[in-house]
Each structure stands twice: as structure tokens, then as C-alpha cells.
Amino acid sequence: MTTDDYEDASSAVGDFLRHSQTMCVTAAQLSVVTDIYDFLNGDEQRWEQRYGRGWSGDLRKACKRLCENVIRDEGWPSKIERKWRALCRNWSPPSRMNK
């Protein structure tokens, strides 16, 4: 299933991006936002078809702006560093099995 197969995609994407403005805190979540941004910047011919299925030019632009807000957040380096440090603190090498 793709975004184009989902009847309420425009609403779901907009809701997710509004939520992500304050709740996007991991690299995995940032990756989802960048994937959505790529989707929003995709082939114009496909967008002509999407405009008849709940999308509008204004909604697309608004969603792009929401993506850009998250992607350009200057706090990303510190968010990722905190996560990395937490992972390193909790990491232990795998145990070796005796042969």
C-alpha cells in the first residue's frame, strides 16, 4: 500500500506533520518527515491526480513548510547526540560462545 492508495492520506499526513512539530525527537522520526518531504516534492504529473483526492496546492505547500520546520530544527544535533550517548551507555558487547 502506498500513500496514494490511502483515501485519507492528505488528512493523515497533515495531522502527522502538525504533531511532529513538537514530538519528532528521534532520527527514525526525522527520517519519516524527510520521506514525506520527498513525497511532497515528487512528480508534478502525479500531483495533478492527487489534487482530486483530498489534496490541494495550499495543503501541499503547508505540509512542505511543516516538514521544513522539523528538518531545519537546530536542535537535531543535540537530540541525536543524547540518543547516541544513551545507546552507548546501555550497550554491552555480545557474549562469545565457547567452541
Side-chain angles (χ1 to χ4, degrees):
M1 180 176 227
T2 68
T3 306
D4 288 327
D5 296 325
Y6 184 51
E7 185 178 336
D8 296 319
S10 60
S11 179
V13 167
D15 290 345
F16 175 82
L17 291 173
R18 281 186 290 283
H19 179 71
S20 71
Q21 301 301 291
T22 57
M23 300 304 293
C24 188
V25 296
T26 69
Q29 292 165 335
L30 175 61
S31 178
V32 173
V33 173
T34 60
D35 287 347
I36 292 171
Y37 191 67
D38 290 344
F39 166 79
L40 294 167
N41 286 302
D43 179 26
E44 290 300 319
Q45 287 181 339
R46 294 190 75 181
W47 276 101
E48 290 303 320
Q49 297 168 359
R50 290 176 184 135
Y51 291 143
R53 295 186 308 229
W55 287 97
S56 69
D58 289 340
L59 177 59
R60 183 180 176 198
K61 287 178 192 173
C63 287
K64 283 183 184 182
R65 281 193 302 273
L66 291 170
C67 287
E68 291 165 355
N69 289 344
V70 172
I71 293 166
R72 293 181 179 156
D73 181 347
E74 292 178 1
W76 276 114
S78 63
K79 290 176 188 177
I80 292 171
E81 181 181 355
R82 277 194 304 273
K83 182 66 173 175
W84 177 254
R85 289 184 186 278
L87 288 171
C88 289
R89 274 194 307 275
N90 296 325
W91 182 83
S92 60
S95 59
R96 295 186 177 205
M97 297 178 62
N98 293 331
K99 291 185 179 182

